[in-house]
Amino acid sequence: MNIPEKLGIMVCGHGSRNQNAALEFAKVAKGLKERHPETPVEYGYLEFCNPVINEGLDRLRAQGVTRVLAVPGMLFAAGHAKNDIPTVLNTYQAQHPQMRIDYGRELGVDMKMIRAAGARIQQALDTANSVDGDVPLHETLLMVVGRGSSDPDANSNVSKVTRILWEGMGFGWAETCYSGVTFPLVEPGLHHAVKLGYRRIVVFPYFLFTGVLVKRIYSYTDQVAEKYPDIEFIKAGYLNDHHLVLDTFDDRVEETRAGRAVMNCQMCKYREQVLGFEAEIGLPQESHHHHVEGIGGGLENCPCKGDCDASCREEAFCKAHDLPWTPLHDHSHDHDHDHGHDHPHDHGHEKDQGPDHGHAHAHHPYPQADHPHGPVSMKKRPT
């Protein structure tokens, strides 16, 4: 007797120490539910937030779902989309073989996403023009800030987004920088940009939601702006739940349902000899987030009402203000947070009991970690 297929949608996110980011991510599931009222829709995170991905899958299974269309809530395919999420899904699939899980691809370089980005930038320009007067676009520099990853393909996609926005909107110049891991980071990137002599600089975080990194981007923008009072700095809003972003998520769901979710493997450092990353070909695929799944407890009592960079969650601060303290995973070692499908080849990183962590967790070394405009500069100038 054949059991009729029942579809369910699972949106897989990274998670954030900023609770407002979690609230914004939940809007994606709500938006998809509105588009698919007859289909169960759930979501879950890799770390720092609840529910974790397994909990979302449990809820779908409890509703009788037999086939899950799992889509990564990631802009680009780097470590999370290629390693961490597939590992969680594959493990769950092995434990529940009666449930089929099909994994979709990341949002990627998509014209709907580009149009959403353009709309956010234009909103910032319109607001600035209404307050400070019009500045020609030819006298304006656009700085697009990506997440930053140790995956050169994902990083290059941010540069492609920059070029399409630059050429489409007609800015005088455009630059790309990153919030972490790679180079140039935001502060050195902006210091370089001011040397080009433009009257106005628009800083646009190409991020889905708010969080620690977006706060850091805006903070560095303010720091640099103080040093150059003759230049106008505009902080554009991130993508958030723009209707075109939700439309793109919906496209990824349909691709997954139809079996057309094909990720770009041509430039994948785990299967091709990418310059500078030759040692990573064929590394085993495994998740690096099992040790921090669901440790979001306590953040709901954040004195900043969840909208902060999590520095107020330090143990001494919590004790001084009589707040519950939850140990948080230390990300000072800078690994991939960027944002496919389950590759048929293995890729990942060896696990090692590193000296700085109380758990087995290590990543293949980023070959340019000592670049003067990369992570080294952030350590010299902490936020």
Side-chain angles (χ1 to χ4, degrees):
M1 178 179 175
N2 292 328
I3 300 176
E5 180 180 83
K6 182 174 181 178
L7 288 175
I9 299 171
M10 179 70 198
V11 188
C12 305
H14 177 267
S16 172
R17 291 168 284 177
N18 183 298
Q19 293 297 286
N20 283 1
L23 294 174
E24 291 176 357
F25 187 87
K27 292 180 183 178
V28 172
K30 181 180 178 181
L32 288 175
K33 184 63 179 177
E34 291 173 352
R35 289 163 168 75
H36 302 273
E38 305 301 321
T39 303
V41 179
E42 296 290 344
Y43 64 95
Y45 304 100
L46 284 170
E47 67 174 0
F48 291 136
C49 285
N50 292 310
V52 296
I53 293 174
N54 283 346
E55 290 178 50
L57 292 171
D58 284 341
R59 292 174 184 173
L60 291 176
R61 189 162 54 87
Q63 296 174 69
V65 169
T66 59
R67 182 188 177 195
V68 177
L69 308 178
V71 292
M74 310 283 171
L75 288 169
F76 303 118
H80 294 320
K82 292 179 179 179
N83 291 324
D84 301 314
I85 294 175
T87 302
V88 173
L89 298 179
N90 290 342
T91 301
Y92 194 93
Q93 174 83 81
Q95 295 170 345
H96 304 282
Q98 73 279 12
M99 176 185 276
R100 171 182 169 184
I101 303 177
D102 293 331
Y103 187 40
R105 70 183 177 101
E106 79 288 357
L107 297 171
V109 181
D110 185 285
M111 287 302 107
K112 288 188 177 73
M113 299 296 293
I114 298 294
R115 285 159 54 201
R120 295 301 188 212
I121 294 168
Q122 190 60 54
Q123 288 171 355
L125 288 171
D126 291 344
T127 299
N129 289 338
S130 66
V131 175
D132 301 317
D134 205 355
V135 175
L137 283 180
H138 289 177
E139 298 179 38
T140 303
L141 182 145
L142 172 66
M143 175 66 79
V144 177
V145 186
R147 165 59 186 93
S149 165
S150 63
D151 191 310
D153 189 29
N155 292 334
S156 69
N157 280 332
V158 185
S159 295
K160 188 169 186 177
V161 167
T162 301
R163 178 63 201 184
I164 297 173
L165 290 169
W166 180 6
E167 192 163 346
M169 300 185 75
F171 286 96
W173 200 263
E175 295 281 332
T176 305
C177 63
Y178 304 88
S179 69
V181 183
T182 189
F183 62 90
L185 294 185
V186 178
E187 186 184 24
L190 288 175
H191 279 298
H192 173 76
V194 299
K195 297 176 182 178
L196 299 178
Y198 286 85
R199 291 172 55 188
R200 173 184 276 177
I201 295 177
V202 180
V203 179
F204 170 56
Y206 193 70
F207 280 65
L208 282 174
F209 310 110
T210 189
V212 173
L213 300 181
V214 171
K215 295 289 183 181
R216 181 185 297 167
I217 291 166
Y218 290 153
S219 175
Y220 274 127
T221 301
D222 290 340
Q223 290 178 35
V224 175
E226 288 182 4
K227 298 178 180 179
Y228 302 96
D230 294 334
I231 300 175
E232 180 184 3
F233 286 79
I234 298 174
K235 293 178 288 189
Y238 47 92
L239 294 164
N240 206 348
D241 61 342
H242 192 283
H243 70 92
L244 290 172
V245 173
L246 295 175
D247 287 348
T248 310
F249 268 108
D250 203 20
D251 289 346
R252 298 298 173 265
V253 169
E254 176 56 28
E255 289 175 359
T256 310
R257 185 199 64 78
R260 294 185 284 106
V262 180
M263 199 179 95
N264 173 29
C265 292
Q266 184 179 4
M267 299 288 289
C268 178
K269 67 176 182 177
Y270 299 117
R271 61 181 297 161
E272 298 293 340
Q273 187 169 322
V274 176
L275 183 65
F277 295 82
E278 294 85 354
E280 300 186 45
I281 298 175
L283 289 176
Q285 183 182 53
E286 60 185 8
S287 174
H288 298 93
H289 289 74
H290 57 278
H291 55 282
V292 284
E293 284 185 326
I295 65 166
L299 292 180
E300 59 272 10
N301 296 319
C302 171
C304 307
K305 302 186 186 301
D307 189 22
C308 67
D309 63 0
S311 60
C312 63
R313 308 310 302 168
E314 295 176 358
E315 184 176 12
F317 181 98
C318 293
K319 288 182 177 179
H321 293 80
D322 196 26
L323 295 169
W325 177 67
T326 301
L328 294 178
H329 178 56
D330 180 9
H331 278 70
S332 62
H333 53 291
D334 282 333
H335 59 233
D336 285 9
H337 274 201
D338 200 320
H339 331 296
H341 68 295
D342 182 8
H343 282 11
H345 56 282
D346 287 332
H347 47 70
H349 311 282
E350 277 188 37
K351 295 170 79 173
D352 182 27
Q353 187 69 35
D356 297 328
H357 312 290
H359 52 266
H361 184 191
H363 296 261
H364 202 278
Y366 179 55
Q368 311 298 342
D370 61 346
H371 195 284
H373 298 312
V376 171
S377 67
M378 182 179 290
K379 292 173 183 176
K380 292 178 180 177
R381 303 176 181 86
T383 56

